[in-house]
Amino acid sequence: MEKQSHLSSPSRRPRLVTLITVGVCATVALSTALQLALVDHFGTSYARKEAELRLQQLSWQMRDSLDRVVAQAAGDVRLVASLAQVREARDPASARAVLDSLQSGFPDYAWIGVAGNDGKVFAAAGGLLEQADVSARPWFRQGQGSITAVDYHPAVLLGKLLPQAADPWRFIDMAAPVYRADGQRWGVVGVHLSWDWARRLARNLLTPALREYGAEILVVRSDATVLLGPDRMEEQPLNTASLKLAQAGGTGAVRETWPDGKTYLTGYSQTGQVGLNAGAATLRWSVLVRQPEAAALADARTLQRLLLWLSIGVGVVMALVAAVLARRLTLPMDSLSRVIEQRARAATAGDPLPPIPANGSFREAQVLSQAMRQMVQSEERHIHLLETMNEQLETTVRARTAELEHLVMRDALTGLLNRRALMQALPDAMRRSARLRLPCAVMFLDLDGFKNVNDTHGHEEGDELLRQFGQRIVQAVRGTDTVARLAGDEFVVILENLTQAGDAEVMGHKLMPRLREPFILKTASVHLSASIGVAVFMPGSSEGLEALLTRADRAMYEAKRGGKNMIALAE
């Protein structure tokens, strides 16, 4: 009947015209996917390479510009140190005139001065810091030996003397020793180069179009501190793959995820390489030029979207054409399907089955109409046979399951309940105790000296002793009590329907004489005793299963420690 009901609802099945239309649409979708894959593989790959090359070139340009400015500053310091007005200066005014002239020609030199060997500023452009002690400044100490460059640092002495600017004052320093004509060093000339020149370089290199698409230039010191970049990142540590590559002396471009979680294309290089600055004081900075991958590949993504919409339009047109053609092709099948539906409804109602007419439109439909009756009859026979076999199988499974459950719940040696059965029986006993308002108890029994029997008479005799021990317990307790073997020589008895808590101890004393009777084995007669621990569960107690068993177990060990062959009540 279920099969006939299913046959009466063929609308749940897709129609042939639908399948043909879906097939055409799937073909168009597959073609579109292949085209998009090709665009993504070739177009996007080409766009990524072009973007990486552009960012790499910007990194090179920024690197070369930084190197040129550092080299120029080193050359200016060397020139000032070699001028006679500075080398042979006897009063600050003559030296100051030279320094003022240099500063006026290069405004990025925020401070220029000459300090004597004692570390006090002898002369300075504009008179700033004259007579100030700069002996502790790195540029003075390092510049006493040779021309040197001191990396990016904040203003210390000049911070309050220079005019306030939009960005805080930051400098790099150039210094060189000053020698008199007789070759004696009398001081050090130093230049504080304002970091504004680096900011201007970055702004000039990035065209408005690049800035609009999120391109940014970062200059990073050797300790991974960002010297130039987005405001939120300046003077903060950075850890990226491109930085590590640049610090290793490499140059190129990579695709990577930055700490902000976004994916960027990054061009990288390092200043201070052999070339323009060879032999001069140099500073090793990593130059990174990054751009969000989405912005760098925006044109390629636009092309993908355009191709997608074109493909969708073509797919819609082809689907309409396919639907019209499929409709004409499926008319004979529609006629045959209506007759089959009529037959299915007639079979359900018990009416005579209408004949399936011969369909001569094409051979496949004719073969299908002739074979349909035989297929339905064969299927009904198979269903009946399967139902009969299923009933027989369910009966067999139920019987086998009952056998297996019995085996799983019984101890193989003694035939008593095992630990699993005990853990199911004890909660039931505790619930009955609470419902009937009668105590129940758990007795833990452990044979005293059982190991000696095993060692002296062998394991087979030990197994026989355990079987007899279990049967004596069963014979001694009531029919309503439950006996189980936990493991080894440990047994448990669940005493139910006790009138009072003391009944459990009475039952234990009743059991003890039976257990002390000799055990008749095949090769010997053995006298043993048992240590019993009793834990009582009172109605209304919130004690759990594990706690009750633990108390009984502890009481049994108290009996062991008290001399064995005795009963101990749990507290």
Side-chain angles (χ1 to χ4, degrees):
M1 294 298 292
E2 181 181 353
K3 182 64 179 178
Q4 292 172 345
S5 176
H6 183 66
L7 287 173
S8 66
S9 303
S11 58
R12 298 177 183 176
R13 303 276 184 157
R15 299 174 66 85
L16 182 58
V17 62
T18 304
L19 293 176
I20 295 177
T21 304
V22 170
V24 173
C25 292
T27 303
V28 174
L30 179 60
S31 302
T32 302
L34 291 175
Q35 292 174 2
L36 292 177
L38 290 175
V39 171
D40 183 69
H41 180 71
F42 293 105
T44 305
S45 176
Y46 177 78
R48 180 180 288 110
K49 289 179 180 179
E50 285 292 313
E52 289 176 349
L53 180 60
R54 180 174 61 254
L55 296 173
Q56 181 178 347
Q57 290 173 343
L58 285 172
S59 174
W60 290 345
Q61 293 174 19
M62 186 66 180
R63 174 199 64 188
D64 295 341
S65 298
L66 292 172
D67 281 339
R68 278 195 296 272
V69 173
V70 172
Q72 179 181 349
D76 289 345
V77 169
R78 186 184 293 109
L79 175 63
V80 171
S82 66
L83 293 176
Q85 296 94 322
V86 176
R87 294 178 60 187
E88 304 300 333
R90 301 300 178 181
D91 64 280
S94 61
R96 189 184 307 120
V98 175
L99 303 179
D100 287 339
S101 175
L102 178 60
Q103 189 180 46
S104 65
F106 299 95
D108 287 324
Y109 292 162
W111 183 85
I112 309 173
V114 182
N117 287 335
D118 59 357
K120 292 185 178 180
V121 177
F122 175 74
L128 288 177
L129 296 181
E130 286 189 1
Q131 297 306 312
D133 188 353
V134 295
S135 59
R137 304 304 302 151
W139 67 267
F140 178 79
R141 288 186 282 106
Q142 297 175 24
Q144 295 181 33
S146 62
I147 186 169
T148 186
V150 179
D151 211 336
Y152 175 97
H153 65 87
V156 178
L157 299 176
L158 290 172
K160 297 181 180 180
L161 300 178
L162 294 173
Q164 295 297 317
D167 296 314
W169 286 100
R170 298 291 185 267
F171 306 115
I172 63 170
D173 301 339
M174 283 290 172
V178 181
Y179 296 94
R180 297 200 184 278
D182 60 2
Q184 294 296 317
R185 187 192 77 237
W186 73 272
V188 177
V189 60
V191 171
H192 286 359
L193 179 58
S194 170
W195 192 242
D196 285 341
W197 63 273
R199 295 189 178 99
R200 286 199 307 276
L201 279 178
R203 286 195 296 267
N204 293 336
L205 279 177
L206 289 178
T207 64
L210 285 173
R211 283 195 294 270
E212 182 181 352
Y213 281 94
E216 296 172 317
I217 295 178
L218 291 88
V219 178
V220 187
R221 198 163 55 194
S222 58
D223 63 355
T225 299
V226 177
L227 307 182
L228 176 66
D231 293 340
R232 64 186 179 281
M233 298 180 65
E234 286 192 357
E235 300 188 2
Q236 298 296 321
L238 181 66
N239 181 18
T240 64
S242 57
L243 176 59
K244 294 176 182 178
L245 292 171
Q247 289 178 337
T251 180
V254 294
R255 177 182 181 271
E256 60 183 350
T257 301
W258 279 58
D260 60 3
K262 297 179 181 179
T263 301
Y264 292 85
L265 301 181
T266 308
Y268 59 89
S269 61
Q270 187 183 47
T271 64
Q273 302 292 329
V274 176
L276 180 64
N277 267 349
T282 58
L283 292 171
R284 291 295 179 94
W285 295 321
S286 298
V287 180
L288 309 179
V289 183
R290 72 176 190 177
Q291 186 178 19
E293 184 184 40
L297 304 181
D299 291 340
R301 301 306 183 196
T302 301
L303 177 60
Q304 281 184 315
R305 288 192 294 270
L306 177 61
L307 181 59
L308 176 61
W309 284 112
L310 288 175
S311 300
I312 291 175
V314 172
V316 170
V317 173
M318 293 186 67
L320 293 175
V321 173
V324 173
L325 294 177
R327 181 64 181 170
R328 295 181 63 86
L329 292 174
T330 56
L331 283 176
M333 296 300 296
D334 288 341
S335 175
L336 180 60
S337 66
R338 283 193 296 272
V339 175
I340 294 174
E341 290 175 7
Q342 294 172 3
R343 288 176 59 86
R345 286 193 292 269
T348 303
D351 299 332
L353 297 177
I356 298 177
N359 195 319
S361 57
F362 51 89
R363 185 176 183 277
E364 288 77 6
Q366 184 180 11
V367 172
L368 181 61
S369 63
Q370 292 174 353
M372 188 57 64
R373 187 190 299 271
Q374 291 82 359
M375 291 177 60
V376 172
Q377 293 174 350
S378 176
E379 184 178 8
E380 289 176 349
R381 289 194 298 271
H382 289 158
I383 290 175
H384 177 72
L385 178 60
L386 288 174
E387 289 175 349
T388 302
M389 294 174 62
N390 185 57
E391 291 176 357
Q392 295 174 350
L393 180 60
E394 287 179 353
T395 302
T396 304
V397 168
R398 282 195 296 269
R400 185 58 179 163
T401 300
E403 294 177 5
L404 291 176
E405 288 179 353
H406 178 77
L407 293 176
V408 168
M409 295 298 180
R410 292 289 174 175
D411 177 57
L413 177 63
T414 63
L416 301 176
L417 298 181
N418 59 15
R419 177 183 289 273
R420 176 180 293 185
L422 174 68
M423 300 307 284
Q424 293 182 7
L426 183 53
D428 294 337
M430 295 169 70
R431 284 191 290 270
R432 284 192 294 272
S433 172
R435 185 175 65 253
L436 299 175
R437 310 299 296 173
L438 294 174
C440 70
V442 174
M443 298 176 59
F444 255 75
L445 299 90
D446 187 89
L447 276 169
D448 300 327
F450 175 70
K451 183 176 183 301
N452 292 333
V453 175
N454 265 346
D455 295 342
T456 303
H457 301 289
H459 289 285
E460 290 186 2
E461 295 287 62
D463 291 345
E464 177 61 25
L465 174 59
L466 291 175
R467 281 190 287 268
Q468 293 184 24
F469 184 77
Q471 288 304 311
R472 287 189 185 183
I473 297 173
V474 172
Q475 294 166 4
V477 299
R478 301 167 301 172
T480 58
D481 299 329
T482 302
V483 181
R485 180 190 177 206
L486 283 186
D489 57 347
E490 292 183 351
F491 292 78
V492 174
V493 179
I494 303 175
L495 303 174
E496 296 191 58
N497 301 325
L498 301 177
T499 305
Q500 56 186 357
D503 291 348
E505 185 177 6
V506 172
M507 181 62 71
H509 286 295
K510 175 183 175 183
L511 184 60
M512 290 293 284
R514 295 291 306 273
L515 301 180
R516 286 194 290 265
E517 294 177 2
F519 292 91
I520 308 302
L521 306 179
K522 293 180 181 179
T523 60
S525 177
V526 178
H527 288 79
L528 292 178
S529 62
S531 297
I532 302 177
V534 180
V536 179
F537 177 80
M538 299 299 295
S541 172
S542 61
E543 185 177 26
L545 168 68
E546 294 295 338
L548 181 62
L549 289 174
T550 300
R551 286 201 301 122
D553 186 51
R554 289 176 179 172
M556 185 269 291
Y557 279 106
E558 286 294 331
K560 288 280 188 182
R561 285 191 290 269
K564 302 180 180 180
N565 190 27
M566 61 183 298
I567 300 172
L569 291 177
E571 296 181 358

